[in-house]
Amino acid sequence: MPDENPARATAREAIALLTGAAGFTEHRPPPHPLPPDGPLGWAGYDAARERASARTGEEESVVYGTGVVGDRACVLLSFEFGFLGGSLGLRTGDRLAAAYELALTRRLPLLALVATGGSRMQEGMVALTQLQRVAAASTRLRAAGLPQIAVVRDPTTGGGWATVGAGADVVLALPGAQVGFAGSRVRPPDADPYAYSAEGQFAAGQVDAVVPADELTGTVTHWLRALGPHENLPAAPVPRALSAGGVGTGAGAGTEAGASALSAAGTPSAAGAESVADRGPVAPLPETGREAVARARDPRRPRAEAYLADYFAVRLPLHGDRSGATDPGLLCGFGLCADGRPVAYVAQCGTPTRPAGYRSAARTIRLADRLGVPVLTLVDTPGAANDAEAERAGAGAAIADTFAAIAAARVPVTTLVIGEGGSGGALALAAPDNTHVTVDSYFSVIAPELAAAILKRPPSETGATADRLRLRPQDLADLGFARSIVG
């Protein structure tokens, strides 16, 4: 009978949960004989393997092969925790390396269903070095532009988490799964168990989503569609304006001749600020710098969530910077437009962006670039977070890394400034030569209030300072910074 707890399902049950009637074709590597009781001659090891095989029906702790999830072919590998705790030994390494090579040869994404306690003690250093084999195989797959998705089950600990699991491009977890480098028997006695759970790892930005078992097939299918592999995808269309005064004349409608139109925007949802039918006529351009700043700071102006809901039919968030932190004021991930075309997104939400946000942005941009997926960035921040905590968290280095990720991107990057463009903290996410602005946005080297203070001018001259900074949408177009004014 299938395990009632999907997090503790067998290797083949986990595969069947995703492939269903589409089926699975198992592969096996060439036989790899071991000396009696393994490479260390560990007394009783052969007997333990025989008992594990009799109990599970498996020859090793990993099953791998090809299958179809939803409508997407992929290579699947699945750990059998009932076989010596899903531990990694030499023959496990053979199977893992063969699975990665199969994905590389057939140019298919790799989907790993992980449940392991780590390296196999009875094989000593021979077992431990399998982690290096996995890392090398994963690196080859990454260099070939092929995606890796991990679904971490209960439990996922030790070297298996630190390679196959956490080393994947996207990490999904089943609810309640134990996830962490330290297994339950090697942690400090007073360790907080939440830190070693799927939910705790999500809170720390190490897991992208905690997905219930009954939603897993749909979620994985969407991710496989989004990540590809793809070839020669066009640039992300410029989103249509969702100005507080009304919707624009169409996606990408701006002052630039031949501005691209978005025919594949997702249907507006309740996440948006309002329905299209509720919006009035197109808002005019601001007459002064002060007005431009006021409109960008207007709390009624649609924010990133509304733009993303209008643009995408499906959104797949990437969560966290993989360094232990998250920034709720910056949204990252991949999305599918109504016609199925994938676009990666990085969107500021109007708050000061924290170092974790910039690191998450750089992670998303680099992943999209490696997989050939175009990028859309939405700029809206008064600037980078400037408190002491942000400095200790490496604000400067994180911003520099985001600039570098944009500069190095080989895929097209499209930027729409939807609100405040606050200095370098906003510019780090702007695409050179492909930045567009909405009518209720501004972009400035510094906030007008701060500029006036630096120049020792009274607050009454802030408006005049804003005018001199030439930060209005039409100024940005005249200066050559913005390619078009949308809406």
Side-chain angles (χ1 to χ4, degrees):
M1 294 291 291
D3 196 316
E4 293 182 358
N5 177 6
R8 276 290 175 97
T10 68
R12 295 181 190 274
E13 288 169 348
I15 291 171
L17 177 67
L18 290 170
T19 60
F24 168 73
T25 302
E26 184 175 0
H27 289 240
R28 287 183 172 87
H32 193 150
L34 291 176
D37 281 331
L40 303 186
W42 188 286
Y45 179 46
D46 285 348
R49 286 182 56 88
E50 290 174 4
R51 290 192 298 271
S53 182
R55 183 170 56 250
T56 63
E58 303 296 350
E59 299 173 355
E60 237 325 320
S61 59
V62 162
V63 175
Y64 78 97
T66 56
V68 177
V69 178
D71 58 355
R72 295 286 160 160
C74 60
V75 170
L76 298 101
L77 67 86
S78 186
F79 281 76
E80 175 52 68
F81 189 76
F83 193 102
L84 300 180
S87 58
L88 281 74
L90 176 60
R91 287 176 174 169
T92 318
D94 292 342
R95 292 179 174 231
L96 292 173
Y100 283 89
E101 185 63 27
L102 181 62
L104 184 63
T105 301
R106 299 200 180 183
R107 290 204 56 78
L108 291 173
L110 181 87
L111 174 58
L113 312 176
V114 191
T116 174
S119 299
R120 191 169 298 169
M121 179 177 60
Q122 296 93 328
E123 293 190 21
M125 285 302 299
V126 173
L128 189 64
T129 56
Q130 301 311 304
L131 305 182
Q132 294 173 320
R133 289 182 72 188
V134 173
S138 176
T139 298
R140 288 192 293 272
L141 208 58
R142 189 173 293 114
L146 295 169
Q148 301 171 50
I149 301 172
V151 176
V152 292
R153 299 146 53 209
D154 183 45
T156 298
T157 61
W161 164 240
T163 52
V164 184
D169 300 317
V170 175
V171 181
L172 309 175
L174 289 173
Q178 179 187 170
V179 182
F181 184 64
S184 59
R185 297 184 182 181
V186 296
R187 300 171 193 159
D190 58 348
D192 177 10
Y194 181 72
Y196 304 89
S197 68
E199 291 75 12
Q201 295 287 3
F202 175 79
Q206 309 291 357
V207 163
D208 293 304
V210 179
V211 183
D214 60 357
E215 299 176 14
L216 192 60
T217 301
T219 300
V220 171
T221 299
H222 286 317
W223 271 115
L224 290 170
R225 290 172 180 166
L227 300 182
H230 304 290
E231 291 184 6
N232 302 319
L233 291 175
V238 181
R240 60 180 177 177
L242 304 178
S243 303
V247 68
T249 56
T255 59
E256 181 188 41
S260 59
L262 175 62
S263 60
T267 303
S269 70
E274 60 221 323
S275 71
V276 173
D278 292 336
R279 300 188 185 110
V282 176
L285 290 168
E287 295 184 0
T288 66
R290 182 191 290 274
E291 182 188 351
V293 173
R295 283 169 60 172
R297 294 175 179 173
D298 189 334
R300 297 169 295 178
R301 171 183 58 77
R303 280 358 194 223
E305 186 65 44
Y307 276 91
L308 294 174
D310 188 64
Y311 194 88
F312 291 113
V314 175
R315 268 189 292 159
L316 303 161
L318 289 172
H319 183 72
D321 66 354
R322 293 299 187 265
S323 296
T326 63
D327 180 0
L330 189 129
L331 305 176
C332 294
F334 284 64
L336 297 171
C337 297
D339 65 353
R341 126 179 55 177
V343 173
Y345 64 86
V346 176
Q348 293 171 313
C349 298
T351 58
T353 302
R354 306 203 64 79
Y358 291 112
R359 285 191 289 266
S360 300
R363 172 195 167 206
T364 302
I365 294 163
R366 289 194 173 105
L367 176 58
D369 187 51
R370 176 158 53 81
L371 299 178
V373 177
V375 177
L376 170 69
T377 66
L378 301 179
V379 170
D380 184 12
T381 180
N386 58 5
D387 54 85
E389 181 184 350
E391 289 298 331
R392 285 192 291 268
I399 295 168
D401 196 39
T402 306
F403 271 116
I406 291 277
R410 296 158 296 180
V411 295
V413 181
T414 302
T415 297
L416 180 64
V417 184
I418 62 172
E420 293 194 77
S423 195
L427 189 66
L429 288 176
D433 303 322
N434 197 23
T435 290
H436 308 258
V437 295
T438 63
V439 294
D440 45 8
S441 68
Y442 80 87
F443 217 119
S444 178
V445 65
I446 190 172
E449 299 87 349
L450 298 179
I454 290 172
L455 296 172
K456 299 181 180 179
R457 292 176 176 173
S460 60
E461 294 191 25
T462 299
T465 303
D467 289 336
R468 295 192 67 182
L469 286 169
R470 299 198 64 192
L471 48 73
R472 301 174 303 167
Q474 58 267 46
D475 296 325
L476 300 172
D478 289 344
L479 290 169
F481 173 74
R483 287 187 59 182
S484 74
I485 301 172
V486 180

